[in-house]
Amino acid sequence: MKIFNTLTRRKEEFVPLEPGKVKMYVCGPTVYNFIHIGNARPMIIFDTVRRYFEYKGYEVNYVSNFTDVDDKIIKKANEEGVDPSVISERYIAECKKDMAALNVKPATTHPQATKEIGGMLDMIQTLIDKGHAYVAEDGTVYFRTKSFKEYGKLSHKNIDELQSGFREIKVTGEEGKEDPNDFVLWKPKKEGEPYWESPWCKGRPGWHIECSVMSKRYLGDQIDIHAGGEDLIFPHHENEIAQSECANDKTFANYWMHNGFLNIDNVKMSKSLGNFFTVREITEKYDPQVLRFFMLSAHYRGPLNFSADLMQASKNGLDRILNGVEKLCDLEKKVEAKGMSQEEEAKVAEAKNQIQKFEAAMEDDFNTADAITAIFELVRLSNSTANEAASKEYVTYLKETIEKLCDVLGIITEKKEEVLDEEIEALIQARQQARKEKNFALADEIRGRLSDMGIILEDTREGVKWKRA
Ligand SMILES: [Zn+2]
């Protein structure tokens, strides 16, 4: 299996630290709002990487964090007049709903920064003791980048170039730094912010230290794969390497994987441009599976352009596969229970050839676009050869093969059970009752259940209206 490693800038054969096991860390979102479709891309991509390893029989320990202390969370909490944890817990719950809708498996562990402060204090102290970090007069702790000779190895930046770049920018409040490249490990509290006690000052951690600490705690000093969006290469991942390798004296991660940007109609997604979409907005218009399928239709390392046309094309492609499987399910009930004919056996050889193509594509740095092509070929084979005269053994083989490969991509081929109107209306009534009793948690939960069933609610003056997505 070959993986493109950002560290070496080439495809390398994957060799796990421990045979049959993969230790993987994927940087997760900062939870201050609903996740946007740019957040969904790494979730879907690296979930698919995980699924492929599992398909190949590896045991995957998959860790993905939630950054739950951050300026944006604090700002939102102050706006709403609540504790920052109210904001972060709310959006962690919402993020998990979106992940479930996109069929992203829960991580083995989903650590949260605010619950790992002790480990951060320990690692920062270790870095100070070893001369890799220092305390400024105001109690800020900085990482001493000059102390790590390999600083810049991931982003392939030259430390002197970085310095000349920084000289142009005057950063206020950072006068205590020895060097412009040095970054914050711990910073003093400001008015109205959450803080923790530390040997240096009352304060809170910098962003980078959390991943080094959580990776160490849940996966050990060394891991196989560290992954995230390409915008994290510098400075976040560069700084994680510096912290972890200086604290642990070991190579941090053997393979660094990064997914490309997501553009909207060929323009970078941004709130100020108004081309910003949350996963929730998109999945109200499309089946979440269409979004997942769309994300997998291009190579993960390249930029991906999101547009209504491309989503429609993905929907058509996905429908072709789902209809193919549905036809096989129907046939399975009708055809004669007998063994395969010679002709069918020859077709099975063709199918096996497609399985090989699927695996070869996935093993070439997770080329999901080519893997999807192999599934299309299987559907084509099935549509042209499976009919009422076929043997049950043949029909079942095709169905199970397509289903198995779809499952590697996280595509669910089973048809959702038809939900009855009465069932929906009973749930809506229960939600109204909960709201009347001011049990908003229950009301929200019911709304979530309805949304999982593909039901969209609209509160109007005439009461609650609903429609199927
Ligand atoms: Zn991270």
Side-chain angles (χ1 to χ4, degrees), residues 27 211 236 240:
C27 290
C211 290
H236 185 53
E240 281 188 39

Side-chain angles (χ1 to χ4, degrees), residues 207-269:
W207 171 35
H208 314 299
I209 192 74
E210 68 177 80
C211 290
S212 285
V213 167
M214 295 189 258
S215 186
K216 180 183 171 80
R217 170 153 183 209
Y218 296 101
L219 297 169
D221 289 352
Q222 282 190 290
I223 66 171
D224 294 294
I225 299 172
H226 195 112
E230 70 178 12
D231 51 328
L232 297 184
I233 297 174
F234 188 85
H236 185 53
H237 288 165
E238 194 72 64
N239 291 352
E240 281 188 39
I241 292 178
Q243 296 163 159
S244 294
E245 300 197 351
C246 288
N248 305 327
D249 293 315
K250 280 185 190 136
T251 301
F252 180 27
N254 284 339
Y255 304 87
W256 286 84
M257 294 180 74
H258 294 97
N259 65 275
F261 287 118
L262 183 82
N263 293 325
I264 312 285
D265 294 321
N266 295 309
V267 184
K268 196 171 187 295
M269 182 167 79

Side-chain angles (χ1 to χ4, degrees), residues 1 27 32 43 183 207 304 339 403 452:
M1 195 183 307
C27 290
Y32 66 102
M43 287 177 183
F183 57 90
W207 171 35
L304 177 62
E403 280 178 341
D452 293 344

